[in-house]
Amino acid sequence: MISLKHKFIFIDIPKTASTSLRTALYDETCKYVHSCLLNDTVTDFVQYNAMNRNGSVVDPKEINLNEYFVFTVVRNPFDRLVSYYRWRIRKYGKPGGGREFSLNPDITFDEYVQNIEIYDDKKVIDHSRWWKPQIDWILYNDGSVCTDYIGRFESLSESWNHIKKQINIDGDLQHLMKNDNPVWYRDFYNSHTKQLVRERYKRDLDFFNYDF
């Protein structure tokens, strides 16, 4: 999501309060950002922006990145995976329903996490905007980080205040798509699933300094 008015580019990683942030950040100049603007940082960056109804895409040649504040928000991978699992159940009646995965409607969280091994072999996870490691959203092809700022879901209010100051906007951040039945993500894991997630998202855990 790019704002020509406020000169920012928001890399909206799923299940990191991205819907709430897009809603709060939206203005009349917001458009899609084509992936090549950020050197193919995000392969499907252009596909998803619920706030931009007209489908317009920014031509990379029109943008001088040095004039833009580029930011994102990240979340503990263990917590993010639980959030995604519960969201899919709530939205589709089964986790993984839809184009990404075809799974048993009665699948447990343990079984769901174990599919990481299956689909990783099929190279599905890295091409799924929901499952791909967060670090892959913010890296240039040469491995350098494309963002000026990385906020934290765990301290979202502080992150939001910093973002507002940087791009000179006001307004509160409303918590949209909130699950009315909050849970503690650690309760979903056993030793095996914890190890699977730790191995698959090791780069996220190391780079963003997260742990279980």
Side-chain angles (χ1 to χ4, degrees):
M1 178 181 186
I2 184 169
S3 169
L4 305 180
K5 178 180 179 180
H6 294 291
K7 299 291 185 181
F8 71 75
I9 295 174
F10 169 48
I11 300 178
D12 52 332
I13 302 173
K15 306 312 297 175
T16 60
S18 56
T19 299
S20 300
L21 287 160
R22 286 196 311 272
T23 302
L25 289 164
Y26 181 75
D27 64 63
E28 68 279 6
T29 71
C30 284
K31 299 177 182 290
Y32 290 103
V33 179
H34 197 284
S35 60
C36 62
L37 177 61
L38 294 175
N39 197 20
D40 294 320
T41 303
V42 184
T43 56
D44 57 355
F45 206 5
V46 73
Q47 294 180 9
Y48 185 69
N49 185 340
M51 299 309 302
N52 185 24
R53 304 296 182 182
N54 62 13
S56 58
V57 179
V58 174
D59 185 342
K61 296 178 182 177
E62 298 176 356
I63 303 299
N64 180 358
L65 275 179
N66 293 327
E67 298 177 354
Y68 284 78
F69 178 65
V70 182
F71 65 94
T72 193
V73 171
V74 297
R75 184 175 187 174
N76 187 314
F78 291 101
D79 186 22
R80 181 171 175 254
L81 195 59
V82 169
S83 178
Y84 176 50
Y85 169 78
R86 298 183 73 222
W87 176 78
R88 297 298 288 194
I89 292 175
R90 191 168 73 251
K91 185 173 177 65
Y92 296 108
K94 63 177 182 178
R99 60 190 179 123
E100 290 163 344
F101 303 101
S102 179
L103 302 177
N104 187 319
D106 299 318
I107 194 171
T108 65
F109 181 73
D110 292 357
E111 295 168 328
Y112 189 58
V113 173
Q114 290 175 45
N115 273 278
I116 290 177
E117 293 179 303
I118 298 171
Y119 288 104
D120 195 20
D121 290 340
K122 296 179 180 178
K123 299 186 183 300
V124 172
I125 289 178
D126 283 334
H127 296 285
S128 165
R129 68 185 312 276
W130 301 97
W131 285 64
K132 70 188 300 179
Q134 295 167 91
I135 186 65
D136 289 338
W137 288 80
I138 64 169
L139 293 183
Y140 284 119
N141 291 336
D142 64 4
S144 60
V145 175
C146 73
T147 51
D148 300 305
Y149 175 71
I150 299 174
R152 301 275 177 160
F153 179 87
E154 295 78 14
S155 53
L156 193 57
S157 294
E158 294 177 17
S159 296
W160 176 239
N161 287 334
H162 179 82
I163 291 166
K164 287 195 300 182
K165 183 178 180 180
Q166 291 296 316
I167 62 178
N168 195 27
I169 66 170
D170 288 317
D172 296 327
L173 183 66
Q174 303 297 323
H175 193 169
L176 305 177
M177 300 187 67
K178 182 179 181 180
N179 195 313
D180 294 329
N181 208 8
V183 296
W184 180 225
Y185 73 86
R186 290 185 176 180
D187 293 338
F188 281 73
Y189 287 89
N190 57 37
S191 58
H192 179 58
T193 53
K194 183 165 65 173
Q195 185 60 28
L196 285 177
V197 173
R198 190 180 300 281
E199 291 174 358
R200 183 63 187 85
Y201 296 100
K202 183 179 186 304
R203 291 164 60 232
D204 279 356
L205 294 167
D206 290 346
F207 187 86
F208 301 118
N209 197 26
Y210 280 121
D211 203 345
F212 184 71

